[in-house]
Amino acid sequence: MKKRLVSLLLTGIIVMSLAVGCSGVGQAGAGDSEGSGGEEVTLRWMQFQVEYAEQVKNMAKAYEEEHPNVKIEVEVIGDDYYDILKTKASSGDMPDVFMTAGYNEINTYKEYITDLSDQESVANIADGAKECVSLDGKVVGLPVQMSGNGIVYNKKIFKDLNLKIPTTVSELEEVCKVLKSNDIVPFTNQFKDDWLLGQFFNYAFANTENTTEYIESLKKGGTTIAGTEEMKDIMKVLDLMLEYGQDKPLDASWNEAAAMFAQGKQAMMFEGIWAYDTISQIAPDMEVGLFALPITDDAADTKMAADVNGTWHVSNTSEHPDVAKDILNWIVTSDAGRNFLLKECQVIPAMKDMEFEGTNPLSKDVAQYITDNNTGLWSWPLWPDGFYNESGKKLQEYISDGKGDVDGTLQSLDDLWGKLAGTNQ
């Protein structure tokens, strides 16, 4: 999701969105009017998932060949996606189709979003994916991909050392000790990226008894981050990763971390399914897997953080809203669109009538956690606007200071939450 690689992150889905645009306006009716002949139609797509950038551009070309009067301008932005989107919104220059992470981010852009409730594309949205695109009883976006993040690990190293996937913090620490004794750095820490630390911090939220209720209580000032045991638990895990990670963890961002891990001298890294594309380009024969990050010594608490990774919205400022809607319908109903999602982009689908068909081993692991109903929310789209990256910066300060002041860090996160949410904590 780079997440905004997740922005990468979260990255898998957007691609598809563009993909949609590329080849399918003519399938659900609107294409018959504006999309299949007549005056030139130009649609602008803007997404934050960069891992599918090449596929999306290729799809756009294919669509334009099929519909010569339609032109799709693709913008794929990793870092600063939301800053750029906000600038476009304030200047009246919104793209026809744009992406958010859903949930609370829908509220941020609700004055620009079109109701899609009556569209064919939303009829088959999986139950677990509906909440992220719902607003005031209406469906205002299309989720296409489920995703997940946790600990990416080198399967060969684990196999050679007879290591089992840890399901508790104590087991994770024991794995680290064995790796270190064999001159293998346990963790590649990608902590130059504040967004990744924001995703890491989410594991504490996802481990609360009811994540959405907990967040609502935080917003109303009914509870505090510093007073929540799960927040203290996640800081202990961060300390463990720092103790058993490479030197200078704040120097490594996405590219450096992926390159280090791909060399096979470091065994684990906190990342998501999107990491596979980069790792496999560097080390195509490396066997990797993904397991849920443990944050307590109760294995029952260990759940994969998984959710919808990006949603498409049609801007209500679009001059061609019917074409934009038709493209979204096409991507989930046509054979070509479904093939693009399931085979070309290999997404974990967010639609009831689709099944994962890809070869990404990280996606396979997440899909299994989802099948086993052993997942927790990606809660950052429910956080106050700005907390996602700013919480990561607070954790970077903790790391830079040499760790230790957990209480002070959690209190600073409370202060930040209160400031962004407008509460007094």
Side-chain angles (χ1 to χ4, degrees):
M1 218 195 233
K2 269 186 138 180
K3 257 223 320 78
R4 298 158 229 248
L5 253 184
V6 161
S7 284
L8 221 16
L9 335 138
L10 251 351
T11 285
I13 305 174
I14 301 174
V15 157
M16 300 134 210
S17 91
L18 293 177
V20 196
C22 329
S23 54
V25 168
Q27 304 260 336
D32 295 333
S33 56
E34 291 186 273
S36 57
E39 65 178 304
E40 181 174 302
V41 173
T42 299
L43 288 179
R44 292 184 299 147
W45 291 77
M46 185 169 158
Q47 71 175 50
F48 56 69
Q49 290 179 320
V50 301
E51 64 266 35
Y52 300 119
E54 196 60 35
Q55 294 97 316
V56 172
K57 292 174 183 177
N58 291 337
M59 178 59 115
K61 291 177 182 177
Y63 178 82
E64 292 168 352
E65 290 176 0
E66 191 174 328
H67 303 273
N69 67 305
V70 176
K71 180 177 177 57
I72 302 168
E73 297 178 350
V74 177
E75 245 188 311
V76 182
I77 300 170
D79 292 328
D80 303 322
Y81 169 83
Y82 285 108
D83 291 337
I84 293 171
L85 182 61
K86 288 176 182 176
T87 299
K88 288 183 178 293
S90 63
S91 63
D93 188 35
M94 285 290 284
D96 298 271
V97 177
F98 63 96
M99 176 170 272
T100 74
Y103 292 111
N104 193 57
E105 288 184 1
I106 291 177
N107 284 305
T108 302
Y109 298 96
K110 63 182 179 181
E111 64 181 287
Y112 304 101
I113 290 176
T114 298
D115 182 8
L116 302 176
S117 300
D118 62 349
Q119 295 299 300
E120 185 179 5
S121 59
V122 309
N124 258 352
I125 294 176
D127 292 341
K130 286 181 179 178
E131 183 180 354
C132 79
V133 293
S134 298
L135 179 68
D136 299 330
K138 301 176 182 178
V139 177
V140 296
L142 179 67
V144 180
Q145 177 184 8
M146 301 294 290
S147 191
N149 60 6
I151 301 298
V152 178
Y153 70 104
N154 185 315
K155 284 188 172 183
K156 184 178 186 303
I157 291 176
F158 270 58
K159 182 179 179 180
D160 290 346
L161 297 177
N162 294 315
L163 296 172
K164 294 181 179 180
I165 294 175
T167 58
T168 68
V169 174
S170 293
E171 290 175 358
L172 179 61
E173 184 172 14
E174 185 59 32
V175 165
C176 290
K177 290 178 179 178
V178 173
L179 290 167
K180 186 175 181 179
S181 68
N182 284 273
D183 297 322
I184 298 171
V185 178
F187 277 105
T188 301
N189 289 323
Q190 184 189 323
F191 294 159
K192 187 176 182 179
D193 292 325
D194 54 28
W195 62 266
L196 186 77
L197 282 164
Q199 290 192 7
F200 171 80
F201 195 48
N202 166 70
Y203 258 87
F205 286 81
N207 204 46
T208 56
E209 185 173 355
N210 186 310
T211 303
T212 55
E213 289 183 4
Y214 173 74
I215 291 174
E216 284 304 307
S217 181
L218 274 179
K219 289 180 178 179
K220 295 175 181 178
T223 190
T224 64
I225 291 173
T228 302
E229 199 62 34
E230 289 82 0
M231 304 300 170
K232 298 175 183 178
D233 290 336
I234 199 67
M235 296 302 291
K236 293 176 183 177
V237 177
L238 178 58
D239 284 347
L240 178 66
M241 293 172 67
L242 292 170
E243 179 180 355
Y244 289 99
Q246 85 277 14
D247 294 336
K248 300 180 179 179
L250 292 174
D251 287 355
S253 60
W254 170 259
N255 290 327
E256 292 85 5
M260 286 190 292
F261 181 83
Q263 290 175 7
K265 297 180 180 180
Q266 299 178 347
M268 299 179 287
M269 66 187 297
F270 181 84
E271 257 298 350
I273 64 171
W274 50 87
Y276 181 69
D277 186 58
T278 300
I279 293 170
S280 63
Q281 289 180 31
I282 301 172
D285 296 327
M286 178 177 282
E287 295 183 51
V288 294
L290 182 68
F291 62 82
L293 175 71
I295 72 168
T296 73
D297 271 334
D298 185 349
D301 291 337
T302 303
K303 300 179 182 297
M304 176 70 67
D307 212 321
V308 172
N309 182 20
T311 67
W312 296 287
H313 306 281
V314 174
S315 171
N316 58 19
T317 65
S318 173
E319 295 182 1
H320 307 287
D322 289 340
V323 177
K325 292 176 184 177
D326 187 68
I327 294 174
L328 296 184
N329 290 329
W330 172 88
I331 198 169
V332 297
T333 60
S334 72
D335 289 341
R338 293 162 69 93
N339 182 73
F340 172 73
L341 288 178
L342 298 175
K343 297 187 182 299
E344 296 298 323
C345 296
Q346 300 190 10
V347 304
I348 304 172
M351 311 304 289
K352 293 178 180 178
D353 62 343
M354 295 185 187
E355 294 183 1
F356 177 69
E357 299 180 10
T359 58
N360 181 333
L362 307 184
S363 295
K364 283 185 176 181
D365 287 340
V366 172
Q368 189 61 56
Y369 275 92
I370 293 172
T371 298
D372 295 341
N373 196 28
N374 191 23
T375 62
L377 291 180
W378 277 6
S379 66
W380 58 83
L382 294 168
W383 297 347
D385 189 29
F387 189 78
Y388 175 64
N389 287 88
E390 293 302 318
S391 62
K393 289 181 172 63
K394 292 293 183 183
L395 295 184
Q396 286 175 334
E397 292 175 8
Y398 174 81
I399 296 169
S400 178
D401 291 341
K403 61 183 181 171
D405 188 8
V406 171
D407 292 338
T409 297
L410 295 180
Q411 183 57 56
S412 71
L413 287 164
D414 266 321
D415 294 340
L416 173 64
W417 183 285
K419 176 183 177 181
L420 296 174
T423 58
N424 295 318
Q425 298 192 42

